[in-house]
Amino acid sequence: MSACVIGHITVKDADKWAQYRAQVPATIAPWGAELVFRGLTVKVLAGEHAHTDTVVIRFPDQASVDGWYQSAAYQALIPLREQAADLVLISFSD
């Protein structure tokens, strides 16, 4: 059963966000993950949505999501991420 992480993002510092984004692929590769989508919100069709950007990353399973998120490589990026953007990360599986 595959699993995905969706990030809803509001960038606070574009330079730091670019640094963070450049380093994330190396943290997901060991977990067999792939970037599915990264883009800007065009329109909210229903309800409220405060963030401007969205990312979707597919993992082979939930264990891979958990391993990636808890990995030393990704944990090292969290301080940069927090300086760069406000975001919500959601994990789900099919």
Side-chain angles (χ1 to χ4, degrees):
M1 197 182 284
S2 67
C4 289
V5 170
I6 296 178
H8 298 285
I9 306 145
T10 299
V11 176
K12 300 185 291 190
D13 183 318
D15 291 336
K16 288 181 180 178
W17 184 246
Q19 292 172 32
Y20 169 80
R21 281 180 47 175
Q23 295 178 63
V24 169
T27 71
I28 68 172
W31 301 99
E34 66 174 316
L35 178 65
V36 176
F37 174 82
R38 181 185 289 153
L40 297 173
T41 301
V42 174
K43 183 189 300 187
V44 176
L45 300 175
E48 296 181 28
H49 185 73
H51 296 288
T52 58
D53 297 54
T54 299
V55 65
V56 178
I57 304 169
R58 182 179 298 121
F59 289 80
D61 51 39
Q62 186 60 45
S64 297
V65 171
D66 296 339
W68 162 73
Y69 190 81
Q70 297 302 325
S71 71
Y74 187 69
Q75 289 293 307
L77 289 181
I78 290 176
L80 178 59
R81 183 194 76 195
E82 290 175 343
Q83 294 172 13
D86 292 325
L87 78 150
V88 176
L89 287 179
I90 302 165
S91 171
F92 70 93
S93 63
D94 57 5

